[in-house]
Amino acid sequence: MYSQALNTRDTSTDSSPEAIRFQARIDDEQRIEPNDWMPEAYRRTLIRQISQHAHSEIVGMLPEGNWITRAPSLRRKAALLAKVQDEGGHGLYLYSAAETLGVAREDLEDQLLSGRAKYSSIFNYPTLSWADIGTIGWLVDGAAIMNQIPLCRCSYGPYARAMIRVCREESFHQRQGYEIVLTLCRGTTEQKAMAQDALDRWWWPCLMMFGPPDTDSLHSDTSMRWKIKRFSNDGLRQKFVDATVPQGHFLGLTFPDPELRFDETEGHWQFGAIDWDEFRAVLSGNGPCNRERLEARRKAHDDGAWVREAALAHAAKQRKTA
Amino acid sequence: MPPAPSRKERRRFPSFLRPMTTTSIAVEESPRIRTLLALADDALILGHRISEWTGHAPTLEEELAFANIALDLIGQARALYQATGQNEDELAYLRDPHRFRNALIAELPNGDFAFTIVRLFLVSVASDQFWRSAVQNDDPDIAAIAAKAQKETAYHVRHAADWLVRLGDGTAESHRRAQNALDALWPYTGDIVDRDAWLQAVAPVLARATLTQPAEGWMQPSGRDGRHTEHLGHLLAEMQILPRTYPGATW
Ligand SMILES: [Fe+2]
Ligand SMILES: [Fe+2]
């Protein structure tokens, strides 16, 4: 569902022939493949980014999973279940892409469960009404697309290829989410109020999904030079706002930002100040659902331990008799 | 659905004094509709139960497999409801618990992974046998649904049987859990129509799983007459909440 490109400190003092050849290949828009030489920092950055992305897909199943049993029609129930399943599939491809860099999925999962790894801040917010399901598709999947389309051209081959398939599915989710919100906005007074309330709660957290403002990155950005990242956080955020505000107005909804206005000379929607204290709090574990989300993942893992052990024990028995 | 209060009525009674109406519907059940509802309700209620695993399954691969199975079952339910000629959502969302025609086994809570797998296995073997013969059904709607459902159900049987063998013939703990689940679920298999054929398909898998087949003793009633367990009411209260709270809304 979501990836936030990481800012990397500049560690580019490596002037070995391999390092120079590596950078030349990247400048030439060639793809780096698992068996190619790569700087350790490049490998580490990718592992961190891809695994955070994978964790976000997996944790992201929880807020939407919360409404599968209450979806208001059979068509919506099937579509939501299929969407959440897609997110699980994204997690799976992404863990596989990370594994090509020499880490084991189990270790990455341990990092998530122990709270050492991060995942997207957005999934620490609760889904309180059916409108949240539409709004997440429209805004959260929409923001994910903004972030991930550039990653289809990421310099690391397996990540770029995973993103192509993922982006196709995310745009389907985005359209489906928008259609849910549209149906609510064309519905009863209560339904429209539900949609407005969802936008009020999700708008600012969605803007935070793009990460801290560019003025906060003190170091020249190696991720850009390595073409893991192609646009700045603020650049992507602006693109998202410009694409989304007219969609919201078409729905007849109001954005919870009194300063939102179209700047004719710039050709952009200008928006008010983001509450970065809230972002930092959620990121450091103090969002509305951080503890519940991790607890749910840990419980699934712990409850499943005997199942995984049984599968291993059975496979071992089969090998012995084979 | 009951007609909405007229404008005149609304004026006469403030909302808290308006005469109470119900959102519930009753269905005229011809034998054909009753058959379709029994099949559809089985698929919907079991699919709903399996969908409850989303986000909580023991492995990521199993998340995806359970979602597939739940999607198949919900898809079958929709096709079957549509074949009644009535609105699928009204049938699913506006019938009271006693109007549901599913077998009790489908509505029992998921329990642990062993319980979910054993139930899926026992039910899917019966469904598999039904759908394979239903391909020749005189009712063209049922035959058409069977053509797709038999492929899906064959996969459900395979998936459940593979896990059942892994659990039964895995560790001491997984064996214990699988046997407990089997013992608990067996009395809910009383309404399987062709029991001999069913037993013949079930027995070899239980043997491979090193599980003991429970004795053929007392059986629970079927539930198809509308007498359900305590669990169905809770399941439906959750599932039906939006259409019941906002009558007439489109989603
Ligand atoms: Fe995703
Ligand atoms: Fe998505």
Side-chain angles (χ1 to χ4, degrees):
Chain A
M1 150 107 26
Y2 163 78
S3 155
Q4 189 199 318
L6 300 166
N7 293 317
T8 317
R9 276 163 195 256
D10 197 340
T11 51
S12 59
T13 43
D14 190 349
S15 53
S16 64
E18 294 99 327
I20 290 166
R21 203 161 42 237
F22 174 82
Q23 189 60 48
R25 288 186 58 195
I26 291 197
D27 294 343
D28 190 34
E29 296 288 331
Q30 290 180 34
R31 287 278 156 82
I32 306 301
E33 294 300 330
N35 294 325
D36 296 346
W37 186 90
M38 61 186 85
E40 262 322 292
Y42 177 83
R43 184 187 301 275
R44 272 198 314 273
T45 303
L46 275 169
I47 290 175
R48 207 152 57 94
Q49 181 171 327
I50 299 173
S51 61
Q52 286 187 14
H53 189 171
H55 299 328
S56 301
E57 301 282 359
I58 301 304
V59 177
M61 297 172 77
L62 296 169
E64 291 186 276
N66 182 35
W67 281 89
I68 291 173
T69 54
R70 289 176 293 169
S73 72
L74 295 179
R75 180 170 77 90
R76 295 290 188 206
K77 191 195 269 309
L80 178 58
L81 185 51
K83 186 214 190 230
V84 177
Q85 183 191 37
D86 285 348
E87 308 301 2
H90 298 169
L92 203 56
Y93 319 141
L94 285 162
Y95 283 127
S96 308
E99 284 190 314
T100 64
L101 291 158
V103 281
R105 181 168 134 196
E106 291 70 27
D107 294 334
L108 298 175
E109 283 169 345
D110 275 351
Q111 289 172 13
L112 172 67
L113 298 177
S114 67
R116 277 172 296 149
K118 298 234 177 299
Y119 57 86
S120 174
S121 54
I122 197 76
F123 301 118
N124 292 314
Y125 290 87
T127 50
L128 304 179
S129 81
W130 171 251
D132 290 30
I133 297 308
T135 305
I136 288 179
W138 171 35
L139 299 181
V140 176
D141 288 78
I145 295 166
M146 287 292 167
N147 261 319
Q148 287 167 201
I149 293 270
L151 287 171
C152 297
R153 293 185 295 130
C154 166
S155 59
Y156 187 58
Y159 193 26
R161 288 189 288 274
M163 278 306 102
I164 291 172
R165 177 158 174 198
V166 167
C167 280
R168 222 177 0 238
E169 293 180 351
E170 303 298 15
S171 28
F172 180 71
H173 299 162
Q174 198 266 349
R175 283 198 300 277
Q176 191 171 267
Y178 188 75
E179 198 259 319
I180 290 176
V181 184
L182 181 68
T183 307
L184 295 174
C185 289
R186 301 283 177 270
T188 65
T189 318
E190 288 104 328
Q191 285 177 306
K192 187 156 183 206
M194 220 184 256
Q196 181 62 56
D197 172 60
L199 180 61
D200 291 346
R201 284 180 289 109
W202 289 94
W203 176 244
W204 289 108
C206 281
L207 295 191
M208 295 175 197
M209 282 176 71
F210 295 91
D214 297 346
T215 47
D216 279 16
S217 31
L218 301 171
H219 306 276
S220 82
D221 203 335
T222 312
S223 285
M224 289 267 199
R225 196 159 49 78
W226 282 335
K227 296 189 179 161
I228 295 173
K229 179 172 177 168
R230 288 180 186 261
F231 296 96
S232 73
N233 295 351
D234 285 336
L236 288 168
R237 187 164 17 242
Q238 185 64 57
K239 253 175 110 140
F240 172 74
V241 171
D242 288 342
T244 308
V245 169
Q247 295 170 350
H249 289 160
F250 178 78
L251 294 169
L253 294 175
T254 309
F255 288 85
D257 178 358
E259 291 171 48
L260 189 69
R261 61 179 187 86
F262 191 70
D263 183 328
E264 297 283 353
T265 45
E266 301 274 323
H268 289 301
W269 283 92
Q270 292 202 332
F271 48 95
I274 294 173
D275 179 359
W276 292 113
D277 288 341
E278 175 179 327
F279 177 68
R280 277 187 291 271
V282 175
L283 220 56
S284 65
N286 293 324
C289 299
N290 295 57
R291 287 166 184 82
E292 274 175 71
R293 299 291 185 244
L294 267 194
E295 207 39 61
R297 287 314 309 157
R298 282 192 202 117
K299 185 171 185 313
H301 185 82
D302 295 347
D303 290 353
W306 69 270
V307 178
R308 296 187 300 274
E309 279 159 25
L312 287 175
H314 179 72
K317 285 184 194 174
Q318 293 300 101
R319 274 197 300 278
K320 224 177 279 170
T321 53
Chain B
M1 216 178 310
S6 68
R7 187 134 21 111
K8 202 166 121 208
E9 242 177 318
R10 275 204 298 266
R11 232 176 309 132
R12 211 147 48 98
F13 302 106
S15 62
F16 59 91
L17 286 179
R18 221 169 278 154
M20 284 281 277
T21 54
T22 175
T23 51
S24 301
I25 59 160
V27 177
E28 202 68 62
E29 290 183 18
S30 66
R32 176 177 185 271
I33 286 187
R34 191 158 175 126
T35 304
L36 287 167
L37 286 179
L39 291 166
D41 292 347
D42 277 353
L44 177 65
I45 300 300
L46 184 59
H48 182 96
R49 282 298 186 210
I50 293 174
S51 78
E52 291 174 353
W53 274 98
T54 308
H56 312 287
T59 66
L60 188 45
E61 285 77 1
E62 204 49 32
E63 289 286 352
L64 305 184
F66 273 166
N68 264 333
I69 294 170
L71 279 169
D72 287 344
L73 290 169
I74 292 167
Q76 290 171 14
R78 293 182 65 191
L80 289 157
Y81 286 138
Q82 287 161 14
T84 64
Q86 306 195 35
N87 180 293
E88 59 175 35
D89 288 325
E90 289 184 8
L91 290 173
Y93 289 92
L94 300 181
R95 275 181 304 153
D96 288 349
H98 70 274
R99 305 223 182 253
F100 272 72
R101 299 291 171 220
N102 60 285
L104 300 185
I105 193 169
E107 72 201 40
L108 299 175
N110 282 330
D112 63 5
F113 183 74
F115 193 91
T116 296
I117 287 294
V118 173
R119 174 194 16 216
L120 181 64
F121 174 69
L122 299 178
V123 172
S124 301
V125 169
S127 310
D128 178 53
Q129 296 182 337
F130 172 79
W131 288 124
R132 270 190 288 144
S133 67
V135 177
Q136 317 281 357
N137 201 292
D138 292 337
D139 186 319
D141 288 331
I142 294 181
I145 294 167
K148 182 155 181 277
Q150 67 158 348
K151 291 186 203 122
E152 294 166 348
T153 312
Y155 157 73
H156 304 169
V157 172
R158 223 167 32 242
H159 187 76
D162 286 350
W163 267 114
L164 189 57
V165 171
R166 268 180 228 131
L167 297 182
D169 191 25
T171 62
E173 181 176 12
S174 66
H175 180 89
R176 178 182 63 77
R177 286 176 184 259
Q179 186 68 55
N180 283 350
L182 185 62
D183 295 343
L185 283 158
W186 201 257
Y188 289 93
T189 62
D191 82 317
I192 284 166
V193 184
D194 190 350
R195 192 167 185 85
D196 288 340
W198 180 77
L199 284 170
Q200 253 179 39
V202 164
V205 180
L206 296 185
R208 274 204 291 140
T210 71
L211 293 169
T212 309
Q213 184 175 318
E216 293 283 277
W218 168 82
M219 291 284 164
Q220 289 274 6
S222 81
R224 299 208 187 272
D225 57 357
R227 296 250 175 124
H228 287 278
T229 67
E230 291 176 344
H231 308 292
L232 184 67
H234 292 280
L235 183 155
L236 293 179
E238 184 175 343
M239 187 177 96
Q240 298 181 337
I241 184 166
L242 285 171
R244 295 286 198 165
T245 311
Y246 303 100
T250 338
W251 302 93

